[in-house]
Amino acid sequence: MIISHSQHLLSLFPTTLRLTKPSLASPSSSLSFPSLSSSSISMSSSSSFSLPTAISPLSDPAPLRIAIVGFGNYGQFLAETLSSEGHTLLAHSRSDHSAAATRLGVSFFTTDLHDLCERHPDVVLLCTSILSTETVLKTLPFQRLRRNTLFVDVLSVKDFAKTLLLQYVPDDFDILCTHPMFGPQSASSNRGSWRGLRFVYDKVRIRGDRSRCEKFLAVFERRGCEMVEMSCADHDRYAAGSQFITHTVGRVLETLKLQSTPINTRGYEALLGLAENTRGDSFDLYYGLFVYNSNSLEMLERMDLAFESLRKELFGRLHGVVRKQLFEGETHQSHIALDVTMSKDVSDFKYEYNADDSSRLLKIGIVGFGNFGQFLAKRMVKQGHNVLAYSRTDYTDAAAELGVSYYSDLDDLFEEHPEVILLCTSILSTEKVLKSLPFQRLKRSTLFVDVLSVKEFPRNAFLQTLPQDFDILCTHPMFGPESGKNGWNGLSFVFDKVRIGMDDRRRSRCDSFLDIFAREGCSMVEMSCAEHDWHAAGSQFITHTVGRVLEKLGLESTPVDTKGYETLLKLVENTAGDSFDLYYGLFLYNPNAMEQLERFGFAFESLKKQLFGRLHGLLHKQLFGNDKETQIMLETTGLSTFR
């Protein structure tokens, strides 16, 4: 594990760090980094945060002269809006962005920062990378600027930026530390608008005339940003639990090379979007979030512990099953679950839904009338089907409320001769339930349907247990009570006609059952059970794995949530609503899940090696290269051994 390696590296800073194992559910109080100089802290005007902050109306409508230093993608992104607000823009960058500057109406200075500074901008806006900010600050000709110039940064880490600005910017210059919690990609996802997106700021040092600072902030307020005034230290504390974790998950998923499947869930699509957004950011940005936010190491280690804890839970239960087989003589369904023979096409006809057809109404017996059984029954009754139900728990009242006939005895229900038996049991109880069913009381051509999240397992169990003259339809509604609470339109419904009789009546009955979902607008996806499980291991199982790892971290909403972090919080909320038995079933009964779990672990390890490898290089340079610039960089983050 990389934890021990990271602790070894950090142990080389004996006077700086005191590190103990962090807990999973709450931030560790034992991980402490040295505080920044008291003079720099005291200059911050906001030791707490307020949300939102109203910017006072401006009495002076004159535009600002803003010099953007660092005119890459992000500098251009901000310049477009600043220019449209009527401000005069100047720009400088190491690369030649003169063409982009001309397009945006910006005066571009290619080589000499002196020329730009002699134009006396009101605001110098630093749009540099985290790693290059100090170098840029050291090269600025401050003597060419007016002595009360306002310096603004937009870095994703704030205590580091604040410390550098206080160290290099002359005392008579104003300092505003900001973090727009969005960029070109997230703004594009927000239909090109900044409305509702957070803009965090700290008036570190504003003296005399405050109107210039208010004018700059007003640009973002007028665009609909949610303005959050917060100290740099508070920002970094929250950001380690939101922004850094979001980037970490995104980079792990990017390493897995996840792809869209025919059976995407909403949660998986959110993860695909997160991986795509992360792909647009350089590794330098992520490395900067790690090195220059003193809280990030703790969050990385907590995530490591959470993943290890989840693995132990899974393998612990698996070990228990094997012990029962070996030492207690208990037979188990694993020989069925691991039979991954490809489904054969046993019928030549394909299902096609015609909205003009009036499907016949069915008598449907639901076995397992918990949350999911009731969720499906509600729609079936609404469409006019006759629904009967049985469950080990007494759901008489819930059934009556839904218009369902409830039976406390399976023999009684089966003697009503339902045309369809719909199994809404858990994965772990399915085989036991199947073996207990009184098949002799049913008509010999009854259609059996399951709705499990794994498909090869119930298919094999059906084929082994059910009489030969029963029909078999394996299905997976890719939604549940939470994701389907506002309707099923556009949600995927996967099915495999494993064994359907050739006569028209039996075909029609199968189609009538499928029509229940097609009428509600589901995206009907026909695929073999084996193909389903292959896709599901890379989508559904990974989605649940990420959700359960994050759930162990005890993540909470913060005042600086990004859209990506809100996506993760929603994923955790959905995952927390499912039992661990469901997740364990996905792991045990999908033969592809083990490989995906190992790939997730390898991806996380690879990411940690990248981070600590670069940190090791930085330390090596400091110890053996006597590199003064590296020493200063470490001192500003609280990682220096030099006191």
Side-chain angles (χ1 to χ4, degrees), residues 54 66 71 80 176 181 234 252 271 298 362 398 401 415 442 452 485-486 500 536 556 559-560 573 601 606 638 641:
I66 303 173
F71 202 60
E80 188 170 3
L176 175 66
M181 305 290 292
D234 280 343
V252 169
L271 292 185
E298 178 188 3
L362 299 170
E401 188 176 335
E415 284 178 352
L442 294 168
L452 294 185
K485 63 184 177 184
N486 297 320
I500 305 297
E556 295 179 348
V560 295
E573 182 184 342
S606 173
T641 57

Side-chain angles (χ1 to χ4, degrees), residues 336 430 434 450 452-464 472 474-475 529 533 589:
I336 300 173
T430 295
L434 270 176
D450 86 286
L452 294 185
S453 302
V454 290
K455 296 271 56 80
E456 276 284 275
F457 164 64
R459 171 187 176 272
N460 293 338
F462 275 165
L463 289 172
Q464 177 172 325
I472 299 172
C474 285
T475 79
C529 292
D533 283 1
Y589 296 112

Side-chain angles (χ1 to χ4, degrees), residues 93-341:
S93 204
R94 288 178 301 178
S95 303
D96 184 4
H97 292 295
S98 52
T102 300
R103 176 177 56 83
L104 294 169
V106 176
S107 301
F108 190 77
F109 294 77
T110 53
T111 55
D112 199 339
L113 264 172
H114 289 260
D115 291 341
L116 181 148
C117 291
E118 285 174 352
R119 295 293 186 95
H120 289 171
D122 303 299
V123 179
V124 173
L125 178 60
L126 293 176
C127 292
T128 51
S129 71
I130 299 175
L131 301 185
S132 66
T133 297
E134 184 177 20
T135 302
V136 170
L137 280 172
K138 289 164 69 176
T139 62
L140 283 176
F142 295 106
Q143 71 276 14
R144 304 293 182 194
L145 296 164
R146 291 186 190 273
R147 286 167 295 173
N148 64 347
T149 305
L150 171 63
F151 267 73
V152 182
D153 85 286
V154 290
L155 293 186
S156 304
V157 289
K158 298 271 51 86
D159 248 355
F160 168 68
K162 171 185 170 182
T163 304
L164 286 181
L165 289 169
L166 288 169
Q167 180 178 350
Y168 289 106
V169 174
D171 289 342
D172 43 7
F173 284 57
D174 286 352
I175 297 174
L176 175 66
C177 285
T178 79
H179 182 197
M181 305 290 292
F182 53 90
Q185 184 68 32
S186 50
S188 174
S189 302
N190 203 39
R191 299 180 180 177
S193 168
W194 296 359
R195 183 162 299 282
L197 302 177
R198 289 187 172 91
F199 183 89
V200 183
Y201 65 96
D202 184 3
K203 298 174 182 177
V204 175
R205 188 171 67 201
I206 306 295
R207 294 167 174 160
D209 182 12
R210 295 175 172 265
S211 64
R212 179 180 47 191
C213 175
E214 302 301 328
K215 270 187 198 179
F216 182 83
L217 293 173
V219 172
F220 298 88
E221 188 187 35
R222 279 196 295 273
R223 292 287 167 160
C225 288
E226 191 173 314
M227 308 298 288
V228 183
E229 185 170 11
M230 171 186 295
S231 73
C232 292
D234 280 343
H235 168 280
D236 284 2
R237 181 165 56 86
Y238 286 122
S242 58
Q243 192 182 21
F244 179 72
I245 283 293
T246 304
H247 276 262
T248 299
V249 172
R251 290 206 166 267
V252 169
L253 297 175
E254 182 189 2
T255 303
L256 291 176
K257 305 296 181 189
L258 300 183
Q259 296 180 349
S260 182
T261 76
I263 58 173
N264 290 354
T265 60
R266 293 282 171 83
Y268 184 64
E269 287 175 352
L271 292 185
L272 289 176
L274 182 62
E276 182 180 351
N277 288 345
T278 305
R279 197 176 300 123
D281 295 324
S282 69
F283 188 80
D284 278 353
L285 170 61
Y286 177 61
Y287 176 67
L289 293 174
F290 172 65
V291 172
Y292 298 113
N293 186 331
S294 59
N295 305 283
S296 294
L297 176 61
E298 178 188 3
M299 292 307 301
L300 188 69
E301 296 207 341
R302 287 179 61 214
M303 187 172 177
D304 198 358
L305 290 173
F307 180 60
E308 285 304 310
S309 174
L310 185 64
R311 283 167 56 95
K312 285 178 181 177
E313 280 187 82
L314 287 174
F315 292 129
R317 292 188 65 164
L318 188 62
H319 180 261
V321 169
V322 174
R323 280 189 62 83
K324 281 187 177 181
Q325 285 184 311
L326 294 178
F327 301 111
E328 298 177 23
E330 180 177 314
T331 59
H332 188 66
Q333 61 264 38
S334 58
H335 65 286
I336 300 173
L338 298 179
D339 175 8
V340 293
T341 307

Side-chain angles (χ1 to χ4, degrees), residues 256 258 261 263 268 453-454 478 529-545 583 586-587 589-597 599-600:
L256 291 176
L258 300 183
T261 76
I263 58 173
Y268 184 64
S453 302
V454 290
M478 304 291 294
C529 292
E531 187 180 0
H532 168 281
D533 283 1
W534 186 79
H535 286 304
S539 58
Q540 191 183 21
F541 179 71
I542 285 293
T543 303
H544 277 261
T545 298
Y583 178 62
L586 293 174
F587 170 69
Y589 296 112
N590 187 330
N592 307 285
M594 175 69 83
E595 178 188 356
Q596 290 299 328
L597 187 68
R599 288 184 66 227
F600 186 89

